[in-house]
Amino acid sequence: MQFVANMTVVALPKISSNLNFSAETLLWVNLIYLMSFVAFSLPFAKIISQYGVKKCTKLSLYLLLISIILSVLSMNYIMFLISRLIQGFTSASLAISLYVMIVEEFEDSEIGSSLGIVASAGYVGMLIAPSFMGIVVSLANWKLGFLILIPIIAILLIMINKIDDEWTTEKRPVDKKGSLIYILIMIILTYGITELDESGAILIVISLVLMILFIKVERNVSEPIFNFKLAKNIKYLIGNYAALVTYFTTTIALTLLSLHLQYVLNIKELVVGLILIIPPIIMILIAGWAGKLSNSIDPRLISGIAMMFLCTSSVIFFFLDFIDFKIILIGCALQGIGNGLFSAPNNKYVLTLVEEKDLPNASSVLSTSKEFGKILSSGIFTLILSVFVGNQRLGPDKLDSLLVQSTNLMMFICILVTFSATVLLFYSKFK
């Protein structure tokens, strides 16, 4: 799922050129996927386990296959955005199905570590997707990257059909009203934070009003889609906030670095892909060791140190236009170290704070926090681009300087949020 979410990062310039995206609408390639994913994650968490995990997984894979084909056949940016919208909610369904499978299949003592491994695999997919697409785009075109997913999805469908078991839970009332309000909140809020005019402010206010209504509704139903009792645990909130910040920073840093290397430094997609493969390689090497280390050292301490590495990499990327190319590579390495150290310990920290019966809900919230971090960073950067660049097409000459200014402002925001997450993690440890 994370691979599908991030595979367009390096391909954005080519997609923009082929389908006539403006600078202001280009970020919606990822943003609309994230909006769809987050909007449907919590409702799906309550629905899928009741109607059959295997059944929902098969349906989601078929819809994902259709959306991939639609991406390849897109003749304009509207068709492509629709395909990304479908990919968003099908990925949400697959993510929740995977969590439910683990909760239902593994022993209670193995659930926490199993979910941690799955979440770590998500980091690998998130980080390796841009490198893969960079290589594919340089050798052929961006559509081939989507086509390669078709046989992979076909293999998954064959594998799921060979499974005889079906995972279901007790039939309980689905909070339809709460689900609808939550979906509306995510859609309205996402669009609102990308608009600079009065309509954007109005949409944000509407989303806040709906949030108050959502809380009121959820507290008065027997089976809410979100368990607000979890929010009373400050350590749980800090762990989710740290996960949000990690995805907030990592996702936008990859996007900005890709745009800077291609538009400003005129580096070919193949080289950009090779540069962006540095973080996932380092992350893979460190993640397993960090997971074992969290058995003997407090996960909050490891996560706090990891956040310091991410903060340092954000500082380096803040000076992209002034530093030597070798320093950029060091920034990529630091980001890989930070993600490697953070992934498994923080997942373990968050998921072991809740009771076993709350693990599916807690896993869904943790996944939503990560994806919402992507939405915030993409939405804020879309807003920044609309101010500095507007509807102009990104390219050489004067737009390079505008892109650099946009990047500097966004990375400054990343520095602030990673620093705040570092402080909170150490606070929860030593307070």
Side-chain angles (χ1 to χ4, degrees):
M1 285 76 73
Q2 293 296 340
F3 188 94
V4 174
N6 293 276
M7 65 186 298
T8 58
V9 171
V10 174
L12 283 178
K14 293 294 185 181
I15 295 173
S16 173
S17 176
N18 291 163
L19 302 179
N20 296 316
F21 277 91
S22 66
E24 191 173 352
T25 57
L26 183 60
L27 268 294
W28 274 98
V29 171
N30 291 327
L31 192 56
I32 198 168
Y33 171 95
L34 299 172
M35 178 187 72
S36 179
F37 187 105
V38 172
F40 289 95
S41 287
L42 286 182
F44 281 172
K46 293 293 183 181
I47 296 172
I48 290 173
S49 60
Q50 296 188 41
Y51 289 91
V53 174
K54 178 181 175 181
K55 186 188 302 180
C56 293
T57 301
K58 287 175 62 177
L59 177 60
S60 299
L61 286 172
Y62 280 119
L63 288 175
L64 181 61
L65 181 62
I66 293 172
S67 70
I68 294 297
I69 295 173
L70 182 60
S71 293
V72 174
L73 298 178
S74 294
M75 295 179 288
N76 53 57
Y77 73 91
I78 295 177
M79 287 181 64
F80 190 79
L81 290 179
I82 292 174
S83 72
R84 292 293 285 172
L85 179 71
I86 300 172
Q87 288 160 24
F89 69 74
T90 53
S91 293
S93 174
L94 290 170
I96 300 303
S97 296
L98 181 58
Y99 282 134
V100 175
M101 283 183 192
I102 291 173
V103 171
E104 294 294 326
E105 189 69 20
F106 284 86
E107 298 292 334
D108 292 342
S109 59
E110 300 174 326
I111 290 176
S113 59
S114 300
L115 290 172
I117 293 171
V118 170
S120 298
Y123 272 100
V124 175
M126 178 182 71
L127 294 172
I128 208 169
S131 306
F132 168 80
M133 282 298 287
I135 296 171
V136 170
V137 170
S138 65
L139 297 177
N141 58 61
W142 63 269
K143 293 186 177 183
L144 179 61
F146 283 87
L147 286 172
I148 291 175
L149 291 177
I150 293 178
I152 296 176
I153 296 173
I155 292 172
L156 291 174
L157 282 168
I158 293 173
M159 292 174 65
I160 197 71
N161 280 321
K162 290 183 177 296
I163 297 176
D164 296 326
D165 297 335
E166 175 62 287
W167 297 272
T168 58
T169 57
E170 180 184 352
K171 294 281 185 179
R172 295 180 179 179
V174 176
D175 182 16
K176 297 178 181 179
K177 184 185 294 185
S179 299
L180 178 60
I181 295 173
Y182 175 78
I183 292 171
L184 288 175
I185 290 172
M186 290 298 105
I187 294 174
I188 294 172
L189 180 61
T190 302
Y191 189 76
I193 61 178
T194 64
E195 295 294 317
L196 188 62
D197 55 18
E198 292 182 1
S199 63
I202 293 173
L203 289 174
I204 292 175
V205 171
I206 292 174
S207 66
L208 293 176
V209 173
L210 287 174
M211 179 63 73
I212 296 173
L213 177 62
F214 175 71
I215 295 173
K216 184 177 180 180
V217 168
E218 292 298 281
R219 286 180 172 176
N220 293 319
V221 295
S222 58
E223 295 292 335
I225 65 169
F226 179 75
N227 184 1
F228 280 97
K229 292 180 180 179
L230 298 177
K232 295 180 180 180
N233 189 332
I234 187 65
K235 295 178 181 180
Y236 176 81
L237 293 178
I238 291 175
N240 275 280
Y241 174 72
L244 182 152
V245 167
T246 301
Y247 273 72
F248 179 101
T249 303
T250 302
T251 303
I252 202 63
L254 289 173
T255 302
L256 296 180
L257 186 58
S258 173
L259 293 176
H260 184 86
L261 292 174
Q262 293 184 70
Y263 281 123
V264 180
L265 301 184
N266 295 317
I267 296 177
K268 298 297 183 181
E269 293 91 349
L270 177 61
V271 179
V272 173
L274 293 175
I275 293 171
L276 295 182
I277 206 172
I278 295 174
I281 289 177
I282 296 176
M283 188 265 182
I284 293 170
L285 294 174
I286 292 179
W289 172 76
K292 294 179 181 179
L293 191 64
S294 65
N295 293 325
S296 56
I297 299 177
D298 195 307
R300 288 169 291 182
L301 184 59
I302 302 174
S303 299
I305 294 173
M307 200 63 66
M308 292 173 64
F309 279 101
L310 291 175
C311 185
T312 305
S313 69
S314 297
V315 172
I316 291 176
F317 294 148
F318 176 79
F319 295 103
L320 272 179
D321 201 41
F322 306 98
I323 59 177
D324 186 75
F325 183 72
K326 295 178 181 178
I327 305 298
I328 295 178
L329 298 181
I330 293 174
C332 291
L334 291 175
Q335 188 179 87
I337 295 172
N339 280 301
L341 286 174
F342 181 85
S343 178
N346 192 72
N347 291 330
K348 178 181 178 180
Y349 166 55
V350 173
L351 295 176
T352 52
L353 286 172
V354 302
E355 298 179 14
E356 292 178 1
K357 64 183 179 66
D358 291 323
L359 271 174
N361 201 341
S363 301
S364 175
V365 173
L366 181 59
S367 177
T368 301
S369 297
K370 295 172 181 178
E371 300 305 319
F372 192 65
K374 294 181 182 181
I375 283 183
L376 282 178
S377 60
S378 297
I380 292 172
F381 189 59
T382 300
L383 179 60
I384 292 172
L385 278 181
S386 69
V387 175
F388 286 94
V389 182
N391 286 316
Q392 302 178 76
R393 289 276 298 276
L394 286 172
D397 304 326
K398 65 177 182 178
L399 290 186
D400 286 347
S401 62
L402 298 177
L403 179 60
V404 169
Q405 294 173 35
S406 303
T407 299
N408 289 341
L409 180 55
M410 190 66 220
M411 292 317 302
F412 179 72
I413 295 173
C414 289
I415 293 171
L416 293 180
V417 295
T418 50
F419 180 76
S420 68
T422 303
V423 172
L424 287 172
L425 285 167
F426 284 128
Y427 169 83
S428 68
K429 162 63 180 172
F430 295 109
K431 178 63 175 177

